[in-house]
Amino acid sequence: MLPKFLSVIDDPTVHEMAGVKLAGTYDFDNEGEPSQRVEVIKDGVLKNFLMSRMPVKNFDQSNGHGRNQPGRMPTGRQGNLIVTSTQTVPESEMRQHLIDEAKKQGKPYGLYFDDIQGGFTLTTRALPQAFQVLPVLVYKVYADGRPDELVRGVDIVGTPLAALTRILTTGDQPRVFNGVCGAESGQVPVAAVAPSMLFSEMEVQKRAHEHERPPLLAPPGFEDAGVAGDAQAMPGVKP
Amino acid sequence: MKGLHLPTALPTYRRLMGIAIAASLALSATPSRATPSGSPPSPDAAMVAAHTAAKGDGLLEALLTELDRSKAQLKMDQVQTPYYIEYRVNELEDIGAEAAFGALRENQHMHVRVLRVVVRIGDYKQDSYFGRGQGESSILPLDNDPIALRHQIWLATDDAYKAAGQALAEKQAAMKQFSADPNPVDDFAKAPQMIAIEPTASLKIDEAAWKRTLEDVTSLYKEYPDVQSVTASARFSAVNEYLVNSEGTVTRSGKTTYNVQLSSSAQAADGMRLSRSPAFMVARPEELPTRDALLGEAKKMLETVVALRQAPIVEEEYRGPVLFAADAGNDIVASLIGQNVLGQKPQLGKPNRTTGAFATSYKTRVLPNFLSVVDDPTLKYFQGKSLVGSYAVDSEGVKAQAVDTIENGMLTNYLLGRQPIRDFSTSNGHGRAAPGSFPGPSLGVLLVKSSEAQSPDELKKRVIQMVTDQGKAYGYRVETLGPANSPRLLYRVYAKDGHEELVRGAVFSELDIRALRSDLIAVGNDPLVSNRVGGAPTTIISPSLLFDELEVKRADTSKDKLPDYPPPPLKK
């Protein structure tokens, strides 16, 4: 499922990583099972699922991941999902690796995704298994040494298996994302911990965008500044 | 779809619109003035007067500052400038608590300011008030930081103006589907400038004591093992309304409502579900029932629920006299008269005058000629009781007026806001709105008056006389109604000795406006004040009603099974 150098565990028993308290920590799950560290992917190979007391084929025991929003029925859910890598480069060199890869592919720039607002994956069989990530801060990192350029209006899309096999290398500093995950049993607090990752290839698409006009009048308090709404233009990205 | 990851810092969304709000305080006499019609002030003079009136109220000042700016500057190419802009803010403070089986199970506090912006383009004859052009809502900061307030007002106004541009085009396109109306009704009524700054209202209640009372009241379940649910809830609200518009109107008013409701249900041995839910709603906390009085009411409720379990079912159809006690009559007046005297403009392209059942009844008889109906929001008290439907200025800045809607049985007027209907071109001060919602014609204090009223005892005697004459063994008397005017407490009144027998499982099948006009033969001299929750709180004052012929028949209820095993034992 993943390159050999990557492993994924889900460990709700860990309280803190990289100096940050984790949102997906708990002692017992919502079915009263003690929380457990579960090795989901070991050296790139899928080993286990996050289980509630509802068995699935070949996995008939809970591993302490039955979770739910108050008032909902529990299902197997993420707690603290932790990605580890055995093929790392120092975080400071990741940018150079991105530039090198862009040059190798004959591309004028690579994209650096700094922050995202969220994302989702389609998991039903009726629809294609695809994911979309909604980035907030995206930079074009130019291969010819021009300064990085902040761009907007681009989403990452793809299918999980194809995208994940294109990870070339990872950074050496795990970063924590604390958030809320929604699924069949509602919203539950979760954490994801992973280093930065360099993908050889990733599909991006222009974000659906309505050409709404910015407000007509200047914001209160700035009436004399001559600013009307969203004045600074930012370049769109051409994938 | 799975795995919508959102950062925890994302702002939580506010649930809010559509919270049942109840409000109304006895409006103290405060300065209010309407500029004399005939000599409208110049727009500038009107706004100067508006600013003067708003001085000292940070929220009104912020609203007026943005109003001035929007009025002067809002202009988008190919879209007209607005001819009317309105800001209405409802500041709502709400305490809600509910107890069941002796313990509190819900405890909520809410404080929110909802802004509603209406920007109209076009003119009074035809404008953009259609679809999204009916206004934008937004939540305002709770303190009076002028920039923070104005920022939200600014964005909401911008949205409302753009929506108005789109709405006017859509409305004109939609109207092309219909043949042109030779006598079109205006879209918006002119109204004089109104300046009325009343004091704001706040809740004055011993919250802790009330929570204990709710718990004590519901502890009574221990004495009534056959009752399946006992709850008591309280909802206390203070709503302050702020209104400014581009005609120079500035109003501020405050209302409080205090509502306590009991509720209980049980199943009869045959599975029929039975319930009661008496409510007490007042504008002044001192009028709420005392703890002991409420305990007494709760006992009465529980005893009638237990009695209903034992009561015989109405099996056979009955057609004959039915007497409605004032409490039951009140619900009939609310649904069959109250809803139909509203001058609600029908959808685009519909020819009717209103959406109600009295749409074509103007100047025709809708009630027996001994009855008249007036809606008088200026009435603050009736028989010493506060009326929550009372107000001095409506949600559109129009002065409240007493309106005779039905005179000696004849429909003579509708209750109107600033949306005209055919033959009625101006507001009569009944444009009212729930917080964040658009205003519409609404009841204030609806009063049913009779030229020939009789005591409830005399009415009961008449029932006995009538059934005796008709050779029937009994007639019916209704004490209270439930949803859809179905009887909750229905009694057979026996002809031979006048004794009453509680029955259950009945409905009325012909209780409609025709029955009201033709079968209503007498009313009582026992007018009852009923304060009601709604979008805007209303009051209905009406007496007992006697119908000479109504059909009472078996309700089509499902036979649910009883619980499989008994309730938990009270003692360990």
Side-chain angles (χ1 to χ4, degrees):
Chain A
M1 271 192 76
L2 287 179
K4 274 205 173 96
F5 57 86
L6 288 178
S7 295
V8 178
I9 59 156
D10 191 284
D11 192 353
T13 66
V14 184
H15 288 257
E16 193 177 308
M17 279 192 89
V20 179
K21 287 230 174 349
L22 302 183
T25 302
Y26 53 91
D27 293 334
F28 293 89
D29 75 4
N30 295 118
E31 294 174 312
E33 298 288 324
S35 62
Q36 285 177 40
R37 178 183 192 275
V38 176
E39 215 161 54
V40 184
I41 295 174
K42 170 91 172 145
D43 300 331
V45 179
L46 181 68
K47 295 286 186 191
N48 209 339
F49 292 106
L50 301 180
M51 297 293 299
S52 68
R53 289 185 62 182
M54 187 190 288
V56 297
K57 202 171 178 182
N58 301 330
F59 296 87
D60 59 2
Q61 289 293 315
S62 167
N63 53 29
H65 281 81
R67 306 185 67 199
N68 61 274
Q69 180 181 332
R72 306 283 282 265
M73 287 302 291
T75 54
R77 299 291 297 271
Q78 176 184 342
N80 296 321
L81 198 74
I82 300 161
V83 179
T84 54
S85 171
T86 54
Q87 182 177 313
T88 60
V89 298
E91 208 64 41
S92 54
E93 291 170 23
M94 285 294 277
R95 190 169 172 278
Q96 192 52 48
H97 281 265
L98 172 63
I99 293 171
D100 293 347
E101 184 63 24
K103 279 185 182 159
K104 197 172 111 193
Q105 296 183 19
K107 299 244 162 65
Y109 58 84
L111 291 177
Y112 172 60
F113 293 88
D114 190 33
D115 190 17
I116 61 162
Q117 67 183 50
F120 57 87
T121 310
L122 306 178
T123 53
T124 64
R125 294 213 172 146
L127 292 166
Q129 298 252 320
F131 70 86
Q132 185 168 2
V133 177
L134 313 167
V136 184
L137 282 179
V138 185
Y139 296 90
K140 277 182 180 176
V141 176
Y142 285 98
D144 61 7
R146 268 182 282 166
D148 295 354
E149 186 182 12
L150 183 63
V151 293
R152 61 194 164 92
V154 59
D155 289 342
I156 304 171
V157 292
T159 51
L161 292 180
L164 294 174
T165 53
R166 298 210 167 90
I167 302 172
L168 295 175
T169 188
T170 71
D172 60 357
Q173 299 296 319
R175 287 265 298 272
V176 175
F177 175 93
N178 278 327
V180 175
C181 175
E184 292 85 345
S185 64
Q187 308 271 332
V188 296
V190 296
V193 183
S196 56
M197 294 177 185
L198 176 63
F199 288 74
S200 62
E201 223 173 83
M202 184 159 256
E203 198 175 332
V204 296
Q205 69 178 22
K206 273 196 125 171
R207 181 170 299 176
H209 168 60
E210 285 176 34
H211 290 273
E212 273 183 63
R213 287 177 70 148
L216 299 168
L217 306 190
F222 296 92
E223 290 93 335
D224 304 327
V227 196
D230 179 15
Q232 303 131 310
M234 287 237 276
V237 74
K238 289 192 184 85
Chain B
M1 198 153 82
K2 180 168 180 153
L4 179 68
H5 291 260
L6 299 166
T8 28
L10 214 72
T12 45
Y13 272 91
R14 58 261 168 164
R15 38 138 218 154
L16 134 82
M17 312 298 165
I19 290 154
I21 287 131
S24 189
L25 170 79
L27 294 161
S28 47
T30 42
S32 80
R33 74 178 171 83
T35 52
S37 52
S39 60
S42 76
D44 287 347
M47 291 317 291
V48 168
H51 278 279
T52 309
K55 205 149 250 147
D57 184 309
L59 177 53
L60 284 175
E61 285 177 358
L63 290 168
L64 281 175
T65 305
E66 279 307 301
L67 183 69
D68 284 345
R69 216 159 69 96
S70 307
K71 213 173 142 177
Q73 297 176 37
L74 263 191
K75 173 73 184 107
M76 191 160 63
D77 34 283
Q78 289 164 27
V79 177
Q80 296 159 267
T81 54
Y83 82 96
Y84 177 84
I85 301 172
E86 173 186 294
Y87 297 140
R88 180 162 47 84
V89 175
N90 288 101
E91 178 160 354
L92 169 67
E93 252 189 287
D94 194 89
I95 299 172
E98 182 172 275
F101 297 99
L104 214 58
R105 68 173 185 185
E106 191 195 314
N107 185 11
Q108 292 187 345
H109 276 245
M110 187 175 58
H111 187 187
V112 69
R113 270 182 180 172
V114 196
L115 164 72
R116 192 155 189 288
V117 177
V118 180
V119 173
R120 291 173 182 255
I121 62 170
D123 55 33
Y124 290 90
K125 284 196 178 316
Q126 192 191 90
D127 69 19
S128 54
Y129 199 75
F130 178 73
R132 270 193 64 211
Q134 293 175 93
E136 296 286 329
S137 291
S138 153
I139 309 292
L140 291 187
L142 289 173
D143 73 11
N144 282 352
D145 181 299
I147 293 292
L149 283 171
R150 286 176 54 203
H151 199 94
Q152 296 296 327
I153 303 165
W154 163 63
L155 289 175
T157 311
D158 193 78
D159 282 347
Y161 176 55
K162 288 167 182 167
Q166 186 184 340
L168 183 59
E170 281 172 6
K171 183 178 192 171
Q172 285 165 342
M175 285 175 73
K176 293 198 170 98
Q177 299 171 53
F178 309 111
S179 51
D181 191 340
N183 300 304
V185 176
D186 281 2
D187 277 349
F188 196 43
K190 294 201 165 108
Q193 179 187 20
M194 167 62 70
I195 290 179
I197 310 290
E198 295 174 13
T200 56
S202 59
L203 292 174
K204 291 176 186 69
I205 193 100
D206 185 346
E207 203 186 318
W210 264 103
K211 284 175 187 160
R212 280 194 304 275
T213 300
L214 298 179
E215 293 185 328
D216 291 350
V217 162
T218 55
S219 290
L220 287 171
Y221 79 92
K222 293 172 190 160
E223 297 165 32
Y224 300 87
D226 291 331
V227 170
Q228 288 177 359
S229 86
V230 186
T231 64
S233 62
R235 173 137 273 131
F236 305 136
S237 301
V239 178
N240 287 303
E241 186 165 85
Y242 302 78
L243 176 83
V244 303
N245 71 26
S246 53
E247 296 164 335
T249 285
V250 183
T251 71
R252 184 181 72 193
S253 58
K255 295 157 195 288
T256 53
T257 50
Y258 298 86
N259 191 14
V260 174
Q261 178 148 14
L262 307 177
S263 177
S264 172
S265 70
Q267 273 179 285
D270 55 28
M272 186 183 284
R273 293 190 183 276
L274 302 156
S275 57
R276 292 221 48 210
S277 50
F280 309 88
M281 186 171 178
V282 295
R284 298 181 298 187
E286 60 269 27
E287 287 178 44
L288 280 171
T290 61
R291 180 183 171 281
D292 288 344
L294 199 66
L295 278 166
E297 292 288 347
K299 274 187 185 154
K300 226 172 13 179
M301 165 184 82
L302 291 162
E303 265 149 28
T304 53
V305 168
V306 171
L308 274 169
R309 290 184 70 246
Q310 310 298 334
I313 296 177
V314 171
E315 293 289 359
E316 298 306 326
E317 212 165 271
Y318 163 94
R319 210 172 276 110
V322 178
L323 174 60
F324 290 79
D327 186 57
N330 236 297
D331 287 349
I332 294 172
V333 170
S335 57
L336 298 183
I337 301 176
Q339 287 312 302
N340 292 325
V341 294
L342 304 179
Q344 184 82 52
K345 190 179 184 174
Q347 278 181 320
L348 218 55
K350 302 268 186 205
N352 268 352
R353 184 181 287 114
T354 72
T355 55
F358 291 166
T360 54
S361 312
Y362 180 44
K363 291 197 172 155
T364 63
R365 200 168 68 80
V366 294
L367 286 181
N369 56 18
F370 58 87
L371 285 180
S372 293
V373 177
V374 60
D375 193 282
D376 186 0
T378 65
L379 209 58
K380 292 176 194 161
Y381 305 99
F382 188 87
Q383 294 174 347
K385 289 185 176 145
S386 59
L387 311 177
V388 301
S390 168
Y391 57 93
V393 177
D394 74 7
S395 303
E396 296 177 310
V398 178
K399 197 171 168 50
Q401 292 172 34
V403 176
D404 290 307
T405 58
I406 299 169
E407 292 174 71
N408 303 322
M410 185 97 81
L411 183 75
T412 50
N413 209 341
Y414 298 90
L415 304 181
L416 292 156
R418 289 187 68 178
Q419 187 166 44
I421 56 171
R422 187 150 48 80
D423 305 320
F424 297 86
S425 60
T426 55
S427 170
N428 53 31
H430 282 83
R432 305 183 66 202
S437 175
F438 45 81
S442 166
L443 303 182
V445 177
L446 192 77
L447 186 65
V448 175
K449 297 186 293 191
S450 167
S451 52
E452 345 168 337
Q454 290 169 281
S455 75
D457 279 349
E458 284 168 322
L459 292 175
K460 188 175 159 185
K461 278 184 196 142
R462 272 185 81 172
V463 171
I464 293 167
Q465 187 59 51
M466 285 161 77
V467 292
T468 308
D469 293 349
Q470 293 166 18
K472 292 187 168 72
Y474 54 81
Y476 278 104
R477 190 178 74 83
V478 201
E479 187 73 40
T480 62
L481 296 175
N485 288 341
S486 60
R488 279 251 164 102
L489 289 181
L490 178 66
Y491 298 88
R492 282 181 181 148
V493 180
Y494 282 89
K496 61 174 196 296
D497 56 1
H499 87 274
E500 294 194 351
E501 178 189 33
L502 183 65
V503 294
R504 65 187 164 102
V507 287
F508 304 110
S509 64
E510 293 163 347
L511 187 52
D512 52 19
I513 57 164
R514 192 207 55 80
L516 211 55
R517 183 180 65 234
S518 309
D519 302 328
L520 180 58
I521 56 164
V523 301
N525 58 4
D526 53 350
L528 179 77
V529 171
S530 161
N531 285 324
R532 289 161 178 260
V533 200
T538 59
T539 301
I540 289 176
I541 305 171
S542 68
S544 300
L545 307 175
L546 173 60
F547 289 82
D548 67 349
E549 189 175 279
L550 268 189
E551 188 175 289
V552 181
K553 62 173 193 181
R554 175 93 152 92
D556 192 15
T557 50
S558 63
K559 291 189 159 188
D560 293 338
K561 272 200 162 174
L562 294 172
D564 260 0
Y565 49 96
L570 291 174
K571 283 177 193 159
K572 281 176 201 161

